[in-house]
Amino acid sequence: ADVMYENYNTTLSIEAQTMVDMMETGILPACAKDMAKYRAMPALAGDREAVYTSIKTETDKLKALMEKKPHELREEASYLCDTVKPQMAAVRTLVDKAEGLMEKSIYPYPTYEELIYTHHA
């Protein structure tokens, strides 16, 4: 059982850290670039500022949660499942909203549609 806990903990920790890295190096810079386009006409930006700011806030929460994770295998697994995964889902929901707001050329990663259908082209 310990091997399974260790595998789960390692996998989820890597996924959470990867998510933080993707937010900080790809999504948040893209959000800033997108917001810059609305500097002259902020009224046209819609929900962008709120969504993009929330991505930063929720990513920071995820980082803080990862720093607090327990070191005992079973406690860590429960913490990752019950605390970290829901926070990752919160970040993901906001990023999905951001993807719908951003121009394709600014969004830094392939969309689901591109991943699924580009091999047909």
Side-chain angles (χ1 to χ4, degrees), residues 8-75:
Y8 179 81
N9 295 348
T10 300
T11 300
L12 207 59
S13 294
I14 290 169
E15 288 177 4
Q17 186 56 53
T18 299
M19 177 178 259
V20 169
D21 292 345
M22 290 175 76
M23 295 308 107
E24 292 180 340
T25 64
I27 298 296
L28 291 172
C31 291
K33 188 174 186 181
D34 190 45
M35 278 306 299
K37 296 185 328 186
Y38 294 92
R39 202 175 349 232
M41 291 290 294
L44 298 179
D47 292 337
R48 282 173 172 81
E49 186 172 357
V51 171
Y52 298 169
T53 301
S54 293
I55 291 171
K56 170 70 172 135
T57 301
E58 297 304 317
T59 298
D60 288 346
K61 284 182 191 175
L62 178 58
K63 281 173 66 173
L65 289 174
M66 288 303 291
E67 290 171 7
K68 295 178 188 173
K69 72 179 178 174
H71 296 292
E72 191 278 319
L73 284 177
R74 290 170 197 242
E75 287 176 24

